[in-house]
Amino acid sequence: GMLVASAASGALALDMLQKNDPPDLVVTDMHMPAMDGVELARLIRAEPWGAKLPLVLLSSGFLPGQQVGSHLFDVRLLKPARQN
């Protein structure tokens, strides 16, 4: 019963978010062309509607103690993300 929208890049995602009502949740990937997930999260958090928007970061790996952008995300998950 969830409505899902996707974007091919961080810039397109930000554009969609700015033109529509904020979603209930944003899931982004760390590695995207031209803009990584941390930069997208920074831009979302700078928007008035983005301060409290739940953000999830998917990544293929985190280094031990890696904290880059961690304060921007509610959850950081390793890929592949599975239902369980």
Side-chain angles (χ1 to χ4, degrees), residues 3-28:
L3 295 175
V4 177
S6 64
S9 70
L12 289 174
L14 189 62
D15 186 55
M16 287 173 50
L17 291 166
Q18 291 170 331
K19 290 180 178 177
N20 298 295
D21 290 333
D24 294 325
L25 171 74
V26 170
V27 178
T28 187

Side-chain angles (χ1 to χ4, degrees), residues 22-54:
D24 294 325
L25 171 74
V26 170
V27 178
T28 187
D29 196 329
M30 181 62 180
H31 303 286
M32 299 183 296
M35 179 187 308
D36 66 22
V38 172
E39 181 61 24
L40 177 58
R42 283 188 184 118
L43 294 170
I44 289 171
R45 293 291 188 222
E47 297 286 343
W49 46 262
K52 303 252 182 207
L53 182 63

Side-chain angles (χ1 to χ4, degrees), residues 27-31 56-60 62 77-79 81:
V27 178
T28 187
D29 196 329
M30 181 62 180
H31 303 286
V56 176
L57 176 68
L58 297 175
S59 181
S60 55
F62 299 108
L77 299 173
L78 290 175
K79 295 190 292 186

